[in-house]
Amino acid sequence: MMNTTKEYIRISKLIYKEKSNLLSDIERVSLYEWKNESEENQTLYNSLLQDLNLETKQKEYDKIDIHQAWERIQPQIKSEKKTRKLFVEFMRYAAVLILPLALGGYLVYNAIDSVETYDEILVDNITPGTQKATLVLANGEMIDLEDQQNRLIKTIEGDQLDNRDHKLSYKGEHLAEMKTNWHRLVVPKGGEYQLQLSDGTQVWLNSDSELKYTDRFDGQDRIVHLKGEAYFDVAKDKEHAFIVKTNTMDVKVFGTEFNVMAYEDEEAVHTTLVEGSVGVNLKNETGIVEKMMLKPGMQVAYNKGDPKGELRTVEPSLYTGWKEGLFQFNDEDLGSILRKLSRWYNVKVFFQNPTIQNIRFTGEMKRFEDFSTILDLLELGSDVEFEVKGDVLTVNQKI
């Protein structure tokens, strides 16, 4: 019984390569052995081979709703009791889930004509991110929150912080008579962490991110400074606005849920609104260049150096899925995808040919998936292949 996504992909590759007369002798033997393991495998093979009529299936694939398809099979993938029916469903939707966009339209199953080039042992050494972060106090003291898990942290400044279940919480009731101090929560590459501020606001920090904030709010506005990416669920307070400041964008709210992405290595800064309403001030070195108001389901994107931002309607889950343990892509270029993966898996990415970055993908992957499976999914149906040496991922174009 096949019980991993990786095995699904391996068999689908072999069947497609057989259909395309691309099987090597070793691959032919492997497929033969799998077919003869059971009558179920033989029946499944015959069904899939007959179903793999690319020309007639392309229109069917184009009509499938990607999100609904994934929602349909995801609960079954998580289940321990996987069935042969699940494998058939996976094969029907696999192309849609990871289909690259190229030449102005969908290409259903590009020829997979090379064996994986990355070393499986080396790839296994690259693991998904974990919940880890460092708290930096106003006096420069650094506290490793991974080492202080499930403890009450008492700082030299007099703060009492609850660090439980990978979430740092400020106990506001202990702070009323204390001097306000600026703290920084620093999340490295390959990490993520949750924070509850003294006003009850919940913050989820993504990999390679930093949030600067006060241990209590005592002014007119509740101000925080962000580098990287964070999701905010702001405690409602009509008297005191909550303001997220980045280098190029200030987001002002009174109580709402939204995501801000402001990495220095990204060309654009995004604010995506989930609930409520927010005001956004776009700025550069000369000051504010534009003011915008967002409603739920809207996003403002601001390319650094541009005179104006772009206001657009989006599916918020595509930009907040990381908080729920998912990578979600909708016509997203490979360069952007691999920047996200590099932060989460803490790898360096090198493109042999820069134009490969423009290949586009639509799909959804689990954030805690094995790195080798992620690479398999990206290779399937595209003309890219990967090579891993140490913590460096090299992206090549298939010859």
Side-chain angles (χ1 to χ4, degrees), residues 230-349:
Y231 184 95
F232 296 87
D233 185 353
V234 177
K236 290 181 172 58
D237 184 345
K238 294 182 179 180
E239 302 299 322
H240 302 92
F242 190 94
I243 301 175
V244 180
K245 289 181 172 289
T246 75
N247 286 338
T248 56
M249 184 183 291
D250 291 346
V251 184
K252 183 176 182 180
V253 303
F254 291 92
T256 188
E257 294 187 37
F258 60 99
N259 192 84
V260 179
M261 189 276 287
Y263 286 107
E264 292 183 355
D265 62 347
E266 295 287 352
E267 183 178 347
V269 177
H270 294 159
T271 292
T272 307
L273 183 59
V274 178
E275 289 184 8
S277 63
V278 303
V280 178
N281 291 343
L282 307 181
K283 61 186 182 180
N284 58 23
E285 61 277 1
T286 64
I288 296 175
V289 297
E290 189 176 9
K291 296 183 178 181
M292 292 183 170
M293 290 296 299
L294 272 66
K295 295 181 180 179
M298 298 184 71
Q299 178 188 82
V300 57
Y302 181 46
N303 289 323
K304 301 168 186 176
D306 283 0
K308 289 188 176 182
E310 179 186 358
L311 192 61
R312 56 198 183 195
T313 301
V314 299
E315 172 51 55
S317 64
L318 292 171
Y319 301 90
T320 63
W322 63 269
K323 185 175 74 72
E324 307 300 331
L326 295 173
F327 290 113
Q328 294 178 300
F329 314 120
N330 182 25
D331 189 20
E332 188 166 343
D333 64 79
L334 184 61
S336 173
I337 292 171
L338 290 183
R339 285 194 296 275
K340 293 177 180 178
L341 295 178
S342 72
R343 297 182 195 114
W344 182 237
Y345 289 92
N346 195 15
V347 296
K348 302 178 183 68
V349 178

Side-chain angles (χ1 to χ4, degrees), residues 163-187:
N163 186 38
R164 193 179 308 276
D165 298 327
H166 309 292
K167 176 181 177 180
L168 182 67
S169 300
Y170 281 72
K171 300 299 182 181
E173 63 269 18
H174 300 296
L175 302 172
E177 305 302 323
M178 292 163 42
K179 175 186 175 182
T180 300
N181 297 289
W182 283 95
H183 290 177
R184 287 187 297 127
L185 189 63
V186 181
V187 179

Side-chain angles (χ1 to χ4, degrees), residues 1-102:
M1 176 72 69
M2 292 176 296
N3 56 13
T4 66
T5 304
K6 188 172 181 179
E7 183 68 0
Y8 292 145
I9 295 170
R10 187 183 76 85
I11 295 301
S12 68
K13 282 184 176 182
L14 293 180
I15 293 176
Y16 181 83
K17 291 175 78 170
E18 182 184 47
K19 180 78 172 180
S20 305
N21 296 318
L22 296 170
L23 275 180
S24 67
D25 291 339
I26 295 176
E27 290 170 332
R28 185 171 288 103
V29 170
S30 178
L31 183 59
Y32 177 82
E33 290 176 347
W34 173 80
K35 284 191 296 183
N36 287 279
E37 282 180 1
S38 67
E39 290 185 6
E40 283 183 308
N41 283 7
Q42 183 65 58
T43 301
L44 177 61
Y45 166 80
N46 292 336
S47 176
L48 290 173
L49 195 63
Q50 182 179 4
D51 199 45
L52 194 59
N53 187 326
L54 306 184
E55 293 181 0
T56 60
K57 290 296 176 182
Q58 182 169 353
K59 292 183 179 180
E60 294 180 23
Y61 289 138
D62 288 339
K63 294 178 181 178
I64 296 176
D65 184 290
I66 298 169
H67 184 72
Q68 288 183 1
W70 182 259
E71 289 294 322
R72 180 179 174 185
I73 68 172
Q74 189 180 30
Q76 295 170 285
I77 292 175
K78 292 179 180 178
S79 171
E80 290 296 324
K81 298 179 179 180
K82 299 179 177 68
T83 64
R84 295 295 171 179
K85 183 179 179 181
L86 167 60
F87 181 60
V88 175
E89 285 190 291
F90 182 90
M91 287 301 299
R92 290 185 187 278
Y93 297 123
V96 179
L97 292 173
I98 56 177
L99 205 55
L101 289 169

